[in-house]
């Protein structure tokens, strides 16, 4: 019998979960000092689902000042002290300890106008978003489950605590949190909660783009991204209106089975679960709606969509507050997603974007292919050969960068080159190694450098005077 079945069968039995020592210690320190203290929210949910919480939240009736008296001021730092939250770090384990609280009216569909500390755990649980996030427990006690969270965990359901419409009106972030938990946990959204999500979606526009970015990244990383993206596209478009033209944008041709939106969701879902690649998967065809033409046979074409898409994706990434490194990478991935590669191209690709980005681009290719019509999708595995070639080039000491070349600037000076000729010749040699498979051998490259230098000088001397920049002596001079 699973922990969950056991708890549902006998809810009053004390439960037991393995806890890291610092968490156990923090709970007992508060309890020994006479306070109530329990684990609450996501960590209980995750302990029951897979035993691996991402973070530890402790709820207590101690106020921040009382927490300082228990743990010592220097071991706590405020996360939102006025809201009752302090962070305690011990041996690599970080815990957020929050005073039980009641929230006042919500001023701006995001923040309560005020919070009141309370001694009552039940009141604290009532303010929490979803039933599966409103479970509390401390060692030796039964799980506190006031809203049927254990049953919803068992059934795989996201359901709000209380009236969903009211809860989403209070705090619009909960709209995207619902989608994030559904995607991550693979849970369905209970009918009344789902109806309220659609009805109250306008609140999403009130969220900051950075906040939306964080939540949508979580949705993209989840296992049910495709289902959530199809069922709740309208909510995602509230957050990212730039994506809306993708929905319903047809791809009438033998290569595709879905519209641009579903194809993009499927591509993102087939990318490895890394935030940057999932975003690139979602955005890779964002340029298609603007580039679509239909020919006389009824076939759709999207000429120029990678260039258009790279510009649109970059604008979107900028507005989401992504850092410059991510923006550059996503721009490159969208721009190059439609190129075709063979193993022979991998060295040139490495010289252009380096191994990590090259792997990302090939992974995106594979995901994109996998999201095409079945006869293309079956070929997606061919990308493994390209990834294998990148591994082989890396481990065999292949050369694709100047610092890997068997000659350097000092070698060039030793054969009489100076100034810009040094860099120009080294680059010439590098291209010879990458593109023409000249062996990366010191003596051979030195010979090639001399030959290149001599031919450059000869070409310079034998060029017509006008081209070389030498002045023709005029009869009038
Ligand atoms: P994650 O694994 O993503 O951290 P979590 O459930 O721990 O999931 P947190 O954002 O860490 O989520 O929040 C901790 C708990 O605080 C939640 O489980 C929930 O009980 C409560 N909570 C967080 N944000 C909200 C909100 N906007 N409205 C109501 N309750 C919230
Ligand atoms: Mg958490």
């Amino acid at each position: 019998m699973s922990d969950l079945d056991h708890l549902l069968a006998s809810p009053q039995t004390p439960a037991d979960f393995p806890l890291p020592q610092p968490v156990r210690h923090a709970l007992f320190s508060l309890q020994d000092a006479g306070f109530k203290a329990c684990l609450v929210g996501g960590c209980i949910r995750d302990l029951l689902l897979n035993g691996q919480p991402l973070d530890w939240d402790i709820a207590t009736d101690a106020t921040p000042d009382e927490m300082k008296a228990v743990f010592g001021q220097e071991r706590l730092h405020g996360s939102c002290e006025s809201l009752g939250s302090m962070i305690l770090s011990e041996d690599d384990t970080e815990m957020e300890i929050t005073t039980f609280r009641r929230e006042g009216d919500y001023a701006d569909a995001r923040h309560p106008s005020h919070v009141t500390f309370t001694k009552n755990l039940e009141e604290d649980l009532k303010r929490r978003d979803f039933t599966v996030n409103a479970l509390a427990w401390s060692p030796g006690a039964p799980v506190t489950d006031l809203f049927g969270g254990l049953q919803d965990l068992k059934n795989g359901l996201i359901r709000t605590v209380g009236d969903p419409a009211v809860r989403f009106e209070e705090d619009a972030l909960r709209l995207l949190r619902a989608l994030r938990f559904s995607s991550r946990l693979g849970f369905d959204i209970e009918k009344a909660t789902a109806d309220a999500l659609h009805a109250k979606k306008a609140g999403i526009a009130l969220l900051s783009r950075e906040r939306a970015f964080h939540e949508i990244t979580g949705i993209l990383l989840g296992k049910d991204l495709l289902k959530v993206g199809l069922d709740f596209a309208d909510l995602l478009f509230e957050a990212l209106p730039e994506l809306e033209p993708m929905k319903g944008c047809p791809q009438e041709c033998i290569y595709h089975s879905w519209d641009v939106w579903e194809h993009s969701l499927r591509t993102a879902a087939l990318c490895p679960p890394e935030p940057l690649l999932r975003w690139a998967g979602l955005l890779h065809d964002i340029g298609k709606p603007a580039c679509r033409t239909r020919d006389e046979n009824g076939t759709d074409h999207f000429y120029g969509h990678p260039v258009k898409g790279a510009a649109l994706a970059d604008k979107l990434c900028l507005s989401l507050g992504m850092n410059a490194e991510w923006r550059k990478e996503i721009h490159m991935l969208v721009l190059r997603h439609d190129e075709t590669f063979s193993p022979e191209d991998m060295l040139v690709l490495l010289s252009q974007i380096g191994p990590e980005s090259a792997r990302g681009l090939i992974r995106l290719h594979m995901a994109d292919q996998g999201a095409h019509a079945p006869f293309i999708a079956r070929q997606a595995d061919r990308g493994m050969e390209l990834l294998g070639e990148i591994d082989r080039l890396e481990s065999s000491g292949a050369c694709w960068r100047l610092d890997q070349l068997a000659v350097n600037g000092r070698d060039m000076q030793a054969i009489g080159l100076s100034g810009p000729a040094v860099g120009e010749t080294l680059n010439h040699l590098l291209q010879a190694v990458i593109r023409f498979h000249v062996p990366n051998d010191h003596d051979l490259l030195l010979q090639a450098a001399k030959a290149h230098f001599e031919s450059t000088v000869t070409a310079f001397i034998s060029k017509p005077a006008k081209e070389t920049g030498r002045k023709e002596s005029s009869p009038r001079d």
Side-chain angles (χ1 to χ4, degrees), residues 41-42 45-46 54-55 57 127-129 133 171 174 177 180-181 184:
R45 176 197 71 217
D46 293 344
L54 298 178
D55 51 22
D57 288 304
R127 74 172 174 88
R128 294 179 181 271
D129 47 8
N133 288 348
D171 180 356
R174 292 173 191 150
R177 281 174 64 86
R180 170 159 68 86
F181 289 121
R184 173 165 134 209

Side-chain angles (χ1 to χ4, degrees), residues 4 9 21 36 238 251 303 327 338 354 365 467-468 476:
L4 209 45
Q21 188 50 31
K36 295 181 196 161
E238 286 291 326
Q251 307 199 82
Y303 300 117
R327 274 176 50 211
D338 226 19
H365 267 255
E467 268 185 54
T468 61
R476 269 172 283 155

